[in-house]
Every structure is written in structure tokens, then in C-alpha cells.
Amino acid sequence: MNFFLIGYMGSGKSTIGSKLAQVLDYNFIDFDDYIQFKEKKTITEIFQSKGEIYFRKIENIYLKELIEDTTNTIISLGGGTPCYGNNMELIKASKHAKSIYLKASIPVLTERLFNEKGKRPLIAHIDSKEEMVEFIGKHLFERTNYYNQSDATILTDNKSIEEITEKIILELF
Ligand code: S3P
């Protein structure tokens, strides 16, 4: 079985994914790192040199590769992965995959992302927290329909990494 962690940028997918893998003794793959390794470029470089459409195309190809080739793995997806092409359909169609939506509130995401926007090309240009709140609000609204198709949803605000990990395990096993 593979477990896909889904959620907006800054929702803790990588941190929780690596903790969950440690607790369950599963392999762990951060999908952005996987793409960077395969393309030999950072996500920012891919967006800058080839553009977002190219990024979405390879994201779909590498997702198929992971679904086919991995087992007993926790995979932390990119925030946009479930929202493009047939990606969410592929995850739902896999008999060996379950998906978990890590749901964080707009204020929590804003605080985190404002301090970490440099490595995220979609939000790197946002200069004020007010603009960030507005951007996240609209963007999350567009994406929620995809995130809500996950097998489980975990509310993460005010919870520690350990509490979130425990909740995921209780929900899935
Ligand atoms: C993206 C999220 C990023 C990365 C890329 C696009 C998005 O991943 O895949 O910058 O569309 O939300 P994280 O969610 O890990 O930041």
C-alpha cells in the first residue's frame, strides 16, 4: 500500500510524510524532490526555464511512474499535483493507494508561506501578508474540490507532528 499526502503548499506534507514513514517503517518520497532529482533542476529552475505547463506535464508522468513502481511508500505530493490532468483520478484508481488531505486554515498557511515563499515559484512574487491571504483564499477555493476527493481528511491547525501522525494512523488502519 502507498499513502499519498495531499494539501496546499505549507500544509506540512513533507514533515508529516517523513514522520509517518518513520513510524510505520515505510519508504518516504517527497514528490518535489523526486522531480528535482529526475530533472536535475530545482522546481524554481524548471518553472523559470520551461514554464508551468511543462512542469505539470512531467508531474503527471512522474506520478504515473511512482504509482506503478512503488509499494509501502509514503509520498508527499506537491500542492498542485491532485489538481491537474488526471492525477487525482490516477490516485483514486490505484488499488494500492490511499490519500490523506492535510487541511490547514488560511491564517496558518499564510504565516508559514510568507516566511518560506522563496522556493515556491507560484507565490514568490507576493510582497505583503494581505496579498498572501487573498491569494491563498482564492487558490485554495479552486483546489478544494480536488483535495476533498481524498480518502481521509485531517485538520492540522494547533496539532503537533506527533498528533497529526497518530490521527492519520487511526484513520487509515
Ligand atoms: C506547487 C506546490 C509545490 C511545487 C510547485 C507547485 C503548487 O509543492 O510542487 O511549486 O502548485 O501548489 P509544495 O506543496 O510541496 O510546496
Side-chain angles (χ1 to χ4, degrees):
M1 185 62 76
N2 290 324
F3 294 104
F4 286 90
L5 294 189
I6 283 172
Y8 199 70
M9 292 177 265
S11 58
K13 302 178 296 286
S14 304
T15 311
I16 302 297
S18 108
K19 179 72 185 175
L20 190 61
Q22 190 193 325
V23 172
L24 295 176
D25 198 18
Y26 271 43
N27 302 314
F28 172 64
I29 294 177
D30 181 283
F31 192 45
D32 282 344
D33 289 347
Y34 185 84
I35 295 172
Q36 298 187 124
F37 174 75
K38 290 278 184 167
E39 294 286 305
K40 300 185 180 63
K41 282 191 178 82
T42 65
I43 301 288
T44 301
E45 284 164 355
I46 301 170
F47 269 72
Q48 273 170 2
S49 62
K50 309 244 176 135
E52 185 174 355
I53 294 173
Y54 174 83
F55 176 78
R56 297 304 173 192
K57 202 167 98 189
I58 55 166
E59 193 177 37
N60 175 259
I61 294 168
Y62 293 136
L63 178 68
K64 282 183 198 147
E65 193 172 288
L66 280 187
I67 291 175
E68 280 165 24
D69 298 349
T70 57
T71 182
N72 290 348
T73 303
I74 311 289
I75 300 156
S76 297
L77 293 176
T81 317
C83 316
Y84 287 87
N86 61 346
N87 295 348
M88 197 62 197
E89 295 306 320
L90 291 173
I91 295 168
K92 290 199 298 181
S94 167
K95 290 193 180 66
H96 310 288
K98 286 209 166 150
S99 51
I100 304 117
Y101 171 25
L102 299 182
K103 186 172 183 174
S105 68
I106 295 170
V108 166
L109 293 172
T110 302
E111 279 305 316
R112 280 195 203 141
L113 289 175
F114 197 68
N115 299 321
E116 299 173 11
K117 62 187 177 124
K119 57 180 197 261
R120 293 182 166 99
L122 293 178
I123 52 169
H125 63 282
I126 298 177
D127 291 328
S128 70
K129 278 197 183 168
E130 290 71 27
E131 263 182 87
M132 186 70 87
V133 174
E134 205 182 307
F135 179 90
I136 295 173
K138 283 188 190 151
H139 206 203
L140 193 55
F141 180 73
E142 288 163 15
R143 291 181 164 189
T144 298
N145 176 39
Y146 296 95
Y147 295 159
N148 280 342
Q149 295 176 43
S150 303
D151 294 309
T153 297
I154 307 289
L155 303 176
T156 60
D157 281 7
N158 306 315
K159 291 195 185 86
S160 67
I161 298 170
E162 287 73 21
E163 284 169 324
I164 298 167
T165 308
E166 200 182 309
K167 275 201 163 288
I168 295 175
I169 293 171
L170 285 174
E171 190 84 29
L172 292 173
F173 290 94

